[in-house]
Amino acid sequence: MLKLVLSRLFFEIVEDIVALDQRLAQARQHVDASQQVVVDYLLAQVDQLRQDTLSHRQALVSVLEDTVAGDELETVIYGLLSEQLPTAVDRLHQLTQLLYQMDSRQIQSEANQVLGSLNLNRLMAGDNPGVVLMPVASREGVYLEDRHQLRHEETWAVVQDVPLLSLNNPLHWFGLTDYFMQAFSTRTVQVASLIEELQLGFELPLDMLCPLFNLRLLGPSYYAHYVLQSLKEGYQPWFWIVEPTLFQGLNRFGFVNKDLVILHQSLEKARAFVEDGTEDNDELKLSDKDREALLGIVEKIIPDILAFVEKHYQRAQLLGDRLEQGVLISAVPMMVNPSQLHDTLVQQLASDESFSMYPLLASLKESPAKPVEILNAGFLYKLEKTPLWVRYALTELDDDEAWTFFTDKILSLQNVLAKSIETARVFEVLDGQAPDGPQTRVGGPSLKTLRQTETELARL
Amino acid sequence: MILNEHQILSRLVDPDPERRIIITPLVNPEEQFGPTSLDVRLGTDFQVLKRSNLTHWDPMKTPDAIQADLDLSMAHFKMKATDPFVLHPGEFALASTLEYVQIPLDIAARLEGRSTWGRLGLQIHATAGFVDPGFKGALTFELSNVSTVPIPLYPGVRIGQLCFFEGATTRLPYDEKKCTKYSGKISTASSAFFRDPEYARIRLANQEAVLAGR
């Protein structure tokens, strides 16, 4: 099972290196001559990082192919999980920091469509919250409340930092609601009072609920996103308390998926090899019953109408089937079996050539996919395919071929997801569906606005 | 043989995936079907040629240099669902279908304009309306406004129609033929004329001529 975690973690890092490479290629087109040399230096560094990352292929393949065992296996796994892969992540962050000053930092419009479709404003009766996406280099979280908040308590906004490498990667957009949900968890009176009623016997940090709310809002892929990002970046606070609760939430919310079960089971094995950072939180112990109660609160606070529910999961699975065929997933296919429709058509033609086709055509109509259904389909597809892709590339291809293979897979999946989100929005409009809720300031602000915000931040 | 509406429908729901025509999203089939055609919609991304000091496309440059010329010369626009792209009189723009299209190996298709738009002076392709068997991706529109009034084009409007022709199954699908340049594209793609192999040969011959002092 550990081999699955390892290959997925490896792929996450490859994804980030590809993203860095892409942003550098873009930067090269708009920077002035004096900065070209820096871009060229960074490109050379990224190339070195790519080579360094691929240099671990032998160790990784030995685990994937079961050619080592016992102590030797443990040593290899420890080396990969605790030293080699984290070193690559650190280097990625260093290079991203350097790129930050030269990057255009444009946020892909589809990211705003994802946020807009979540109707976060409807979570706050009478309030008027908003989320402003703000690109940051990486890691350094920026969180502030809008200046309006100083004047009107009921009006607030959250600035959500989006790491540079996630701006164009729809598979990373499961993190877009993090800061909103943190603020929501800690500021909503109803959340605090419901937790108090639980009488857990200890004080539960309310922001710990943030991933649970995200799971309810964003669907099962949030679980995998949370786990993989935590493993990649080093553990989140309360990871070992939150993760089992999230996993329990998958069952409760009807999100049964074998790859997510395998991911959960492999974590316990991985725990022995990594820093888990739980020493400060040993007093927080949640029983299954406590977890159920917490999930019940989450269900109560985020009603079905705003949540990602089983129906959406089923639609996401239908989209996943299309993704497998390389088809755009902007629309959920008709619910009627094509064979049935075909048989009906053949029968009708044989018996009555003057029959009207319109009832049959009506059943052919597709329905627009929701952005979060598209993201779930994409992430689950990636989760399923990653071990196969990594194993194939590292055992069958040389370094250059393997990198080209990874890059093709990553970029084509990202393109299909972004294009699907954009196309689905047009479909929604044509379908007469209401525009997204009045998200006060959802959207990528202009660079000028961002600079103003940064100045305000500095003043604060 | 050109497919009629029953045959098009039959192909869209064919139980055999190898024989099935895929067109998605199917926003409103009842509006899109005609006696021998299926309407297709305008997508969201557009490319137009910017005014620049580039005198011509020089196929004798290296492919990377020509690509760089193209990147610098083409302006890209991504329109929201509710915002129009305005095509001015005499202007030429590239766009693509909203739909992803997949054609089986025994079907070829033709992309045609709709008379509704033709009457306004909109042409949707310059010369390349033929779709090969095995094609997968978004189809390209080569838009021209030949009238004297600007035409606002909203994403999602039905500006074209596809008709389908059934024939013998090809063993050379579009995405497997040599030198295929646009297979699998899901967005508007500009010309890759310089990747035609003839140019590589002409460039080589030119270089040899220069080296030989001719």
Side-chain angles (χ1 to χ4, degrees):
Chain A
M1 293 230 179
L2 256 177
K3 60 178 78 168
L4 296 177
V5 168
L6 275 172
S7 51
R8 286 179 178 134
L9 192 54
F10 176 81
F11 195 76
E12 289 290 316
I13 294 168
V14 172
E15 227 178 294
D16 278 350
I17 299 174
V18 169
L20 185 56
D21 208 22
Q22 292 288 308
R23 292 208 82 85
L24 273 167
Q26 283 169 15
R28 193 180 211 169
Q29 299 204 343
H30 73 254
V31 296
D32 58 37
S34 65
Q35 289 179 317
Q36 283 290 354
V37 64
V38 184
V39 173
D40 288 344
Y41 166 79
L42 284 173
L43 278 167
Q45 292 298 309
V46 171
D47 191 46
Q48 185 61 48
L49 177 59
R50 180 175 70 87
Q51 289 173 31
D52 291 348
T53 306
L54 283 174
S55 72
H56 307 312
R57 66 189 292 165
Q58 203 177 350
L60 200 51
V61 167
S62 70
V63 180
L64 300 182
E65 302 262 274
D66 295 320
T67 55
V68 284
D71 288 349
E72 196 184 349
L73 175 66
E74 295 212 346
T75 309
V76 172
I77 292 173
Y78 181 83
L80 283 167
L81 275 178
S82 289
E83 290 167 9
Q84 287 136 11
L85 298 182
T87 303
V89 174
D90 285 343
R91 189 74 185 124
L92 254 171
H93 286 299
Q94 288 163 6
L95 294 175
T96 311
Q97 296 276 2
L98 292 171
L99 168 67
Y100 182 63
Q101 296 306 322
M102 287 177 294
D103 196 275
S104 62
R105 299 180 223 168
Q106 278 182 345
I107 293 175
Q108 214 165 318
S109 58
E110 292 84 1
N112 290 316
Q113 285 172 31
V114 173
L115 259 184
S117 72
L118 295 173
N119 290 312
L120 295 177
N121 60 308
R122 289 173 66 183
L123 277 176
M124 306 288 290
D127 280 357
N128 190 21
V131 179
V132 177
L133 298 180
M134 176 163 149
V136 293
S138 56
R139 276 187 177 163
E140 44 176 47
V142 179
Y143 168 58
L144 86 165
E145 287 154 352
D146 191 280
R147 279 189 305 148
H148 290 296
Q149 193 264 332
L150 301 174
R151 298 197 296 269
H152 306 290
E153 270 301 315
E154 72 278 13
T155 303
W156 54 280
V158 170
V159 174
Q160 170 71 48
D161 64 345
V162 188
L164 212 53
L165 301 186
S166 301
L167 291 179
N168 290 339
N169 184 357
L171 297 169
H172 282 186
W173 294 346
F174 286 95
L176 289 182
T177 53
D178 276 352
Y179 287 141
F180 175 85
M181 278 305 169
Q182 270 180 29
F184 178 76
S185 311
T186 51
R187 285 169 143 267
T188 312
V189 178
Q190 196 191 0
V191 175
S193 63
L194 284 169
I195 294 290
E196 206 174 309
E197 282 171 25
L198 277 187
Q199 295 184 329
L200 289 169
F202 55 83
E203 196 170 333
L204 189 83
L206 290 178
D207 58 350
M208 212 185 90
L209 294 169
C210 165
L212 305 185
F213 284 126
N214 274 334
L215 180 73
R216 174 87 170 138
L217 200 63
L218 302 172
S221 293
Y222 178 78
Y223 169 79
H225 164 84
Y226 175 81
V227 167
L228 290 172
Q229 289 301 311
S230 303
L231 279 175
K232 192 179 79 185
E233 299 293 344
Y235 281 88
Q236 306 260 6
W238 311 301
F239 177 82
W240 296 108
I241 299 158
V242 171
E243 187 276 330
T245 316
L246 279 178
F247 184 70
Q248 207 160 309
L250 291 176
N251 288 326
R252 185 182 172 109
F253 302 150
F255 303 149
V256 180
N257 178 285
K258 85 172 163 35
D259 288 309
L260 296 179
V261 173
I262 292 170
L263 187 61
H264 170 71
Q265 289 173 345
S266 56
L267 277 177
E268 275 304 314
K269 292 184 189 298
R271 189 172 184 174
F273 295 96
V274 290
E275 289 287 325
D276 65 20
T278 52
E279 61 280 2
D280 295 332
N281 304 306
D282 283 346
E283 72 275 15
L284 301 181
K285 297 280 182 215
L286 293 176
S287 64
D288 282 357
K289 203 174 143 201
D290 293 337
R291 290 185 193 123
E292 275 305 300
L294 282 177
L295 291 164
I297 289 176
V298 169
E299 261 176 339
K300 199 169 181 177
I301 303 255
I302 302 185
D304 275 2
I305 194 161
L306 294 178
F308 188 98
V309 294
E310 208 171 341
K311 174 187 75 182
H312 299 123
Y313 180 43
Q314 286 165 358
R315 284 164 53 94
Q317 284 171 315
L318 288 173
L319 295 179
D321 295 343
R322 285 194 153 180
L323 212 46
E324 177 76 42
Q325 300 162 33
V327 176
L328 201 67
I329 56 169
S330 58
V332 180
M334 56 183 170
M335 292 301 169
V336 185
N337 186 331
S339 298
Q340 274 179 356
L341 208 58
H342 190 264
D343 291 347
T344 310
L345 177 69
V346 172
Q347 283 165 15
Q348 298 242 31
L349 279 172
S351 59
D352 175 14
E353 279 209 19
S354 64
F355 83 99
S356 166
M357 272 183 64
Y358 283 112
L360 285 178
L361 290 180
S363 59
L364 210 60
K365 184 180 184 321
E366 299 181 317
S367 77
K370 293 184 178 303
V372 75
E373 290 170 345
I374 293 168
L375 293 186
N376 270 277
F379 207 106
L380 292 175
Y381 175 76
K382 182 183 91 163
L383 208 62
E384 185 191 337
K385 295 293 171 193
T386 301
L388 303 172
W389 290 341
V390 170
R391 189 169 180 156
Y392 167 73
L394 296 189
T395 56
E396 303 287 333
L397 306 175
D398 68 29
D399 278 4
D400 286 343
E401 290 168 340
W403 201 262
T404 304
F405 175 81
F406 286 139
T407 306
D408 286 350
K409 292 290 179 199
I410 289 165
L411 294 183
S412 64
L413 182 56
Q414 290 174 2
N415 286 341
V416 167
L417 296 182
K419 187 71 183 170
S420 298
I421 290 169
E422 181 187 294
T423 304
R425 181 70 195 117
V426 176
F427 190 171
E428 273 184 347
V429 171
L430 295 173
D431 212 31
Q433 295 187 19
D436 299 326
Q439 204 74 39
T440 45
R441 282 183 25 195
V442 170
S446 66
L447 202 54
K448 191 180 163 197
T449 318
L450 277 175
R451 285 190 179 132
Q452 281 168 354
T453 315
E454 282 172 325
T455 316
E456 283 167 20
L457 265 177
R459 277 199 212 116
L460 287 170
Chain B
M1 176 188 74
I2 189 166
L3 300 190
N4 69 17
E5 78 282 16
H6 294 144
Q7 290 163 321
I8 297 172
L9 173 60
S10 173
R11 284 302 189 119
L12 284 169
V13 294
D14 201 299
D16 179 359
E18 301 288 323
R19 285 174 50 84
R20 196 178 301 159
I21 296 172
I22 295 177
I23 296 180
T24 183
L26 268 174
V27 174
N28 194 333
E30 289 167 273
E31 288 170 2
Q32 287 173 254
F33 260 72
T36 52
S37 66
L38 183 69
D39 291 348
V40 286
R41 300 171 187 275
L42 183 61
T44 51
D45 54 322
F46 298 80
Q47 290 185 22
V48 288
L49 201 59
K50 289 188 280 196
R51 281 185 181 271
S52 72
N53 57 2
L54 187 73
T55 54
H56 64 294
W57 303 118
D58 183 358
M60 292 303 108
K61 288 184 177 177
T62 64
D64 284 350
I66 303 170
Q67 185 63 59
D69 280 348
L70 271 168
D71 291 342
L72 284 173
S73 306
M74 301 302 283
H76 298 249
F77 298 92
K78 197 195 275 190
M79 308 312 294
K80 282 187 193 166
T82 48
D83 288 346
F85 174 84
V86 179
L87 191 66
H88 291 274
E91 197 172 37
F92 173 78
L94 291 175
S96 52
T97 53
L98 183 73
E99 293 88 352
Y100 173 95
V101 175
Q102 203 168 301
I103 307 283
L105 298 184
D106 61 338
I107 299 271
R110 272 201 68 85
L111 179 64
E112 300 288 356
R114 291 180 65 222
S115 76
T116 297
W117 290 95
R119 290 162 212 236
L120 292 173
L122 178 72
Q123 295 182 346
I124 65 152
H125 69 80
T127 180
F130 189 75
V131 188
D132 273 319
F135 177 86
K136 297 172 183 174
L139 297 166
T140 299
F141 290 122
E142 298 132 6
L143 303 172
S144 299
N145 179 355
V146 296
S147 82
T148 53
V149 181
I151 304 175
L153 295 167
Y154 286 85
V157 293
R158 288 174 290 133
I159 62 165
Q161 55 187 325
L162 276 175
C163 41
F164 302 93
F165 302 86
E166 191 176 84
T169 301
T170 179
R171 294 184 183 184
L172 186 60
Y174 179 75
D175 58 351
E176 286 177 27
K177 76 174 191 179
K178 270 190 182 176
C179 321
T180 181
K181 299 191 287 279
Y182 310 108
S183 177
K185 300 275 186 201
I186 54 173
S187 298
T188 303
S190 54
S191 175
F193 70 98
F194 52 90
R195 301 211 185 273
D196 275 343
E198 293 86 342
Y199 286 120
R201 291 174 207 135
I202 298 171
R203 277 181 215 120
L204 188 65
N206 269 346
Q207 282 167 8
E208 283 172 357
V210 169
L211 286 173
R214 279 177 280 163

